[in-house]
Amino acid sequence: MAFTLEIGQKAPQFSLRATDGKTYSLNDFNDAKVLVIFFTANHCPFVTGSDEVTRKTVQRFEDQGVKFVGINSNSPNTYAEDSWDGMVKRMEEQQFPWTYCHDESQDVARAYGALRTPHFYVFDQNRELIYTGRAIDNPRESEKMKVNDLERALEEHLAGKEISIPLTNPIGCNVKWEGKDEHWMPADACDLVQS
């Protein structure tokens, strides 16, 4: 079995505490026509370099029934900024327009097969995976981006078209796994698109 969810697979369930103090599960987003779940962090330069692009994407598609859930699965023992308190502080400062959840056990990152931060998963109304990978081609320096794969996938799906490129490789820092070296990745983790 592949490490990362494959196109057509169902979104795994979760129950995670968010920075607003509430606990959310997949069912709390049943009213979303499209659900975007993305693995993110507080410290990663690929995340901080592209958060404003993600904000614009959320704002652009929210009226079309698209909801976004950010999940931080990083071990704070690798980067202290990725702690729960760091998440709350970052949300207070940035006021991001998505639900920001903490995957302290890292079980959700394993269930989805999160490779990097950021790593995006787009699910249709039946919560089947229709796109996964990067949002943009240069998340660290988003002012230099040429391609927004996430927006293209959302545009095509909402227009009733087949997604032309359902798989891309996420670009970013690897997930910081508890008890492992900061660059460690699970043995079965691999690029989604082989070059």
Side-chain angles (χ1 to χ4, degrees), residues 27 38 73 146 183:
N27 299 339
F38 65 106
S73 302
K146 295 189 175 68
H183 299 296

Side-chain angles (χ1 to χ4, degrees), residues 28 36 53 66 68 93 97-98 105 108 120 127 150 156 186 190:
D28 288 311
V36 180
V53 177
V66 181
F68 281 69
E93 289 170 355
W98 52 77
S105 68
V108 180
F120 292 81
R127 296 302 174 255
L150 176 62
E156 290 173 348
C190 62

